Amino acid sequence: MTGNITFTMIKPDAVSNGHAGAMIKMIQEAGFRIIAMKKARLSPEKAGKFYEVHKERPFYGELCQYMSSGPIIPMILEKANAVEDFRKLIGATDPTQAEPGTIRALFAKSIDANAIHGSDSDENAQIEANFFFSELERF
Ligand code: ATP
Ligand code: MG
């Protein structure tokens, strides 16, 4: 399935603001099929592991603290060209730079509380999906 799946997480700001339903609707209407989904909460240690690639960046501590501050909704999504198409749907990391109509333009508050995550490569999509879901949780 390489090339056809991506991993996403609705971040704590969007879950607590009640935007998850509207965001999932946009994701489905854009042609993504939900293979796995749950509500979860990361410990600071687990958030640190998930974002390990960013550990040298100045915002790493805040990012891990933020991502463990409340529940998240991780999902595995399927679609042709999933990784690239999903990053187009969510828009730029900084919501002030995100294209109008993208999920971050509509729902993100700031560069750190930016509503949603999207994998940046097929390889990372597999790693991130495996971080949250077993094979038995995928349908
Ligand atoms: P994500 O990986 O969450 O989909 P992204 O790929 O658009 O986002 P990355 O460069 O991977 O962006 O950064 C990971 C996350 O770290 C961002 O989503 C954002 O929450 C946070 N982040 C990135 N840059 C900054 C920054 N300059 N200041 C604060 N937080 C940042
Ligand atoms: Mg990223």
Side-chain angles (χ1 to χ4, degrees):
M1 282 200 308
T2 304
N4 294 326
I5 75 142
T6 191
F7 172 83
T8 184
M9 250 183 316
I10 300 179
K11 296 189 178 183
D13 56 296
V15 174
S16 67
N17 288 339
H19 292 144
M23 289 164 64
I24 292 167
K25 185 165 188 271
M26 278 183 73
I27 290 167
Q28 289 182 307
E29 285 177 352
F32 293 87
R33 189 176 80 78
I34 299 169
I35 291 180
M37 172 165 69
K38 62 186 166 192
K39 196 171 183 186
R41 185 162 179 174
L42 289 168
S43 63
E45 294 71 31
K46 276 212 134 189
K49 196 154 195 292
F50 185 86
Y51 280 111
E52 206 155 28
V53 289
H54 296 311
K55 69 170 180 289
E56 305 304 335
R57 295 174 79 176
F59 56 82
Y60 178 69
E62 275 169 64
L63 174 63
C64 298
Q65 200 177 5
Y66 172 66
M67 287 304 297
S68 56
S69 67
I72 54 161
I73 300 176
M75 289 178 262
I76 304 173
L77 304 173
E78 181 183 49
K79 182 186 180 297
N81 201 36
V83 166
E84 196 186 333
D85 285 3
F86 193 73
R87 286 181 70 92
K88 271 192 209 135
L89 178 67
I90 69 178
T93 310
D94 179 351
T96 66
Q97 306 297 313
E99 284 281 306
T102 59
I103 291 179
R104 281 170 170 161
L106 290 166
F107 299 111
K109 288 194 292 202
S110 62
I111 192 166
D112 43 323
N114 65 359
I116 195 158
H117 164 82
S119 303
D120 60 12
S121 66
D122 292 340
E123 190 193 355
N124 284 336
Q126 297 291 340
I127 293 168
E128 293 170 0
N130 292 338
F131 187 92
F132 279 95
F133 296 102
S134 73
E135 285 302 326
L136 294 172
E137 293 173 296
R138 305 173 194 205
F139 305 97

